[in-house]
Amino acid sequence: MSATATSRGLTASLVRGAVTSPFKRAGRPGAALPADRLVVRDVRIAPGPLASYSRICGFSESGPLPLTYPHVLGFPLAMRLMTGRSFPLPVVGLVHTWIEITRHRAPRLTEAIELTVYADELSPHRRGTEVTMATEARSGGELVWESRSGYLSRHSTRGASPAAEAGLPALPVAELPAVAEWRLPGDLGRRYGAVSGDRNPIHLYPLTARLFGFPRAIAHGMWTVARCLAESAEPGRISYVRADFRAPVLLPATVTYAVDGAGTAFQLRSGGRVHLTGSTARDGAQPRS
């Protein structure tokens, strides 16, 4: 199966999610995650789509596979699972809150990959309920890459236990030294959506974004992570990233990429507002706690 084939059902999943979401209620007592593990074997990385992805995110087209690219390949499977009848949360309105990616070995562009996606955990959050989705990539049975992502379904948490106060702290974030400034065009969401297959309406047009409470279209969180990694020194050596999405980037926008002196912590911010914070580790180094 080609990499492009894995995204063919993504639009159908978005439509299915829009239809089924009104019949689901987040925060329902006793809710459980489906035990299904969706698997696609013999996934081939198509050079054309990979080159398009690399260009829009700022990676070298002749470099190694971007750390974030297997997440793009696995996202259609995640959407299929999250829009299924047995998934307890409505997919409409889900907010991507964080992602953690670990590359155990750099996949070769010519090797076949097996992708597995499953819902790993359902937990209380101070603003609702958060689900953790896991994606794994294997080659010849060897785990070469994996990610875990948090998606928040916002709802009232009145009367919730102290555990429901978990989540991102509402504390100011110290500014890191600015390194670069990027001007993001208003059509960035449509351009990245065409490359990644993620055509969520909140990323496309001001009108479709307003239907979900945003004044303008917002940039894809995964684009912001990928763009920050591409800007870092020797992105091909980064084997781990943890990123937290703190505020949406309304398009068009001018944003500042910032990084610490060690080159392991990074931010994306604009107008005093921090949109993204993250940390990385390189081959052979231990991730920061």
Side-chain angles (χ1 to χ4, degrees), residues 200-215:
N200 188 318
I202 64 175
H203 303 300
L204 303 181
Y205 300 95
L207 178 60
T208 56
R210 282 197 291 269
L211 294 175
F212 297 92
F214 297 98

Side-chain angles (χ1 to χ4, degrees), residues 169-184:
L171 298 174
V173 178
E175 287 194 354
L176 298 178
V179 173
E181 186 175 88
W182 306 325
R183 294 185 178 181
L184 312 184

Side-chain angles (χ1 to χ4, degrees), residues 2-288:
S2 69
T4 53
T6 64
S7 64
R8 290 173 184 168
L10 188 51
T11 300
S13 292
L14 287 171
V15 172
R16 184 169 60 248
V19 172
T20 60
S21 287
F23 301 97
K24 297 182 180 182
R25 182 168 62 87
R28 177 172 52 85
L33 291 172
D36 311 40
R37 286 178 174 245
L38 301 185
V39 180
V40 175
R41 297 177 175 84
D42 198 30
V43 175
R44 302 283 177 169
I45 298 172
L50 174 59
S52 297
Y53 175 85
S54 296
R55 280 195 299 271
I56 198 168
C57 294
F59 291 104
S60 168
E61 294 181 43
S62 60
L65 187 71
L67 182 66
T68 47
Y69 195 63
H71 178 86
V72 173
L73 300 181
F75 187 67
L77 292 179
M79 282 298 298
R80 190 192 311 173
L81 190 60
M82 290 191 288
T83 56
R85 289 186 177 181
S86 59
F87 193 79
L89 303 178
V91 71
V92 172
L94 278 183
V95 178
H96 198 181
T97 50
W98 58 271
I99 186 167
E100 188 174 53
I101 299 174
T102 302
R103 187 192 69 202
H104 301 285
R105 173 177 68 75
R108 296 182 297 276
L109 301 184
T110 55
E111 67 183 317
I113 293 175
E114 178 183 282
L115 293 172
T116 302
V117 175
Y118 57 95
D120 189 49
E121 185 179 3
L122 196 66
S123 57
H125 185 283
R126 60 188 174 88
R127 294 180 179 172
T129 300
E130 188 176 75
V131 62
T132 299
M133 301 295 297
T135 303
E136 299 172 350
R138 289 178 170 80
S139 178
E142 175 193 7
L143 181 65
V144 297
W145 181 100
E146 61 182 316
S147 74
R148 289 166 59 84
S149 287
Y151 296 91
L152 173 65
S153 181
R154 292 173 291 188
H155 60 82
S156 173
T157 58
R158 287 175 295 180
S161 67
E165 295 301 316
L168 294 180
L171 298 174
V173 178
E175 287 194 354
L176 298 178
V179 173
E181 186 175 88
W182 306 325
R183 294 185 178 181
L184 312 184
D187 66 348
L188 176 61
R190 297 192 293 277
R191 292 168 55 201
Y192 181 78
V195 168
S196 67
D198 183 358
R199 294 181 174 88
N200 188 318
I202 64 175
H203 303 300
L204 303 181
Y205 300 95
L207 178 60
T208 56
R210 282 197 291 269
L211 294 175
F212 297 92
F214 297 98
R216 303 196 303 273
I218 66 174
H220 291 74
M222 286 307 300
W223 179 88
T224 64
V225 175
R227 185 67 187 88
C228 288
L229 294 182
E231 189 74 13
S232 65
E234 297 183 284
R237 292 190 56 218
I238 296 176
S239 57
Y240 169 87
V241 64
R242 162 77 190 216
D244 293 293
F245 305 106
R246 295 180 174 269
V249 178
L250 299 175
L251 299 171
T254 299
V255 296
T256 297
Y257 166 70
V259 65
D260 69 352
T264 57
F266 62 91
Q267 294 174 349
L268 196 67
R269 61 178 188 258
S270 65
R273 193 178 198 190
V274 177
H275 302 286
L276 173 73
T277 61
S279 61
T280 61
R282 298 182 181 273
D283 293 327
Q286 292 296 318
R288 293 175 55 174

